[in-house]
Amino acid sequence: MPGLRAKMDKLLIIGSTAVQPQPKGREETDDPKRLEHPMKWITREKPKTDRVACPWLIRKFIDPDAEILYVPDDRVLEVARREGAVSFDAPGARYGHRKGKCTFEVLIEEYHLTDPALLKLAEIVHGADVQDERSTPQSAGLRAIGEGFIHVVPDDHENLRIQSCIYDALYAWCRARSSGRD
């Protein structure tokens, strides 16, 4: 799909400068959990919703220089130990689903992120990942996009790069809604 790839690359160039998150409710120095040195973060391969949303969140709000590793399901913890990586969204991972929350929501809670737009985005991600009564109207679309990209872009890192533009756009939409500019 060379035509689609060129169009997506063009959108990504535009998208990468269009939305620069402006977190509200937390300054860099306010949160001792904010990482001072880039870390490796590791999860299961073939990312869909939570395994795309979390790296987007990590790089935008927690660890801008994070290295994201995707490995087979059964190797996440082993490689995490060997590489000194922070595991997420995998069985036994440091960060995973807890008390009805998806991993994206757990990271927001753990890192004390309070930006209203980010919290709205968390509702959308929750519904796309968990599919329960808390689903939003946007959740089904986000889930379909995540599942579709697995078939269109087989490389996990390329998939993350492209889908990050979608999360930038959703975050911008949430910012506009939370500030009353929709």
Side-chain angles (χ1 to χ4, degrees):
M1 301 182 134
L4 175 63
R5 179 68 35 97
K7 287 177 186 175
M8 288 303 295
D9 284 343
K10 189 174 185 177
L11 282 173
L12 288 171
I13 291 167
I14 293 167
S16 67
T17 57
V19 177
Q20 295 303 319
Q22 299 169 1
K24 297 176 186 171
R26 182 197 42 77
E27 295 296 321
E28 271 191 48
T29 57
D30 288 348
D31 188 353
K33 287 187 177 181
R34 178 154 174 117
L35 302 175
E36 293 179 21
H37 305 288
M39 292 283 298
K40 291 181 182 179
W41 295 74
I42 189 167
T43 191
R44 298 173 286 143
E45 63 188 351
K46 311 256 184 288
K48 292 188 276 187
T49 307
D50 228 2
R51 287 171 279 142
V52 172
C54 290
W56 176 88
L57 176 71
I58 290 163
R59 286 182 172 161
K60 294 287 183 179
F61 293 92
I62 299 169
D63 186 0
D65 298 317
E67 179 182 350
I68 308 298
L69 306 174
Y70 290 108
V71 299
D73 298 10
D74 62 346
R75 301 206 48 228
V76 172
L77 299 181
E78 165 204 334
V79 176
R81 279 189 295 277
R82 186 179 71 231
E83 296 288 327
V86 179
S87 58
F88 67 95
D89 202 48
R94 178 173 176 183
Y95 298 110
H97 289 218
R98 288 186 206 151
K99 299 179 184 171
K101 295 178 181 176
C102 68
T103 308
F104 188 83
E105 294 168 295
V106 168
L107 285 170
I108 287 173
E109 189 174 85
E110 286 284 320
Y111 285 90
H112 309 290
L113 302 173
T114 60
D115 175 358
L118 196 55
L119 299 177
K120 175 66 179 166
L121 180 57
E123 293 173 11
I124 297 168
V125 171
H126 174 91
D129 195 56
V130 178
Q131 295 179 303
D132 63 11
E133 68 280 351
R134 292 175 36 207
S135 292
T136 68
Q138 300 79 21
S139 297
L142 182 59
R143 182 178 184 86
I145 289 167
E147 289 179 2
F149 265 105
I150 289 175
H151 303 291
V152 177
V153 184
D155 179 79
D156 293 343
H157 290 96
E158 182 69 3
N159 186 347
L160 172 60
R161 185 181 77 80
I162 293 170
Q163 285 199 63
S164 289
C165 184
I166 293 164
Y167 283 87
D168 285 342
L170 269 174
Y171 177 71
W173 179 81
C174 291
R175 275 192 12 213
R177 291 197 49 111
S178 64
S179 68
R181 295 179 298 169
D182 53 321

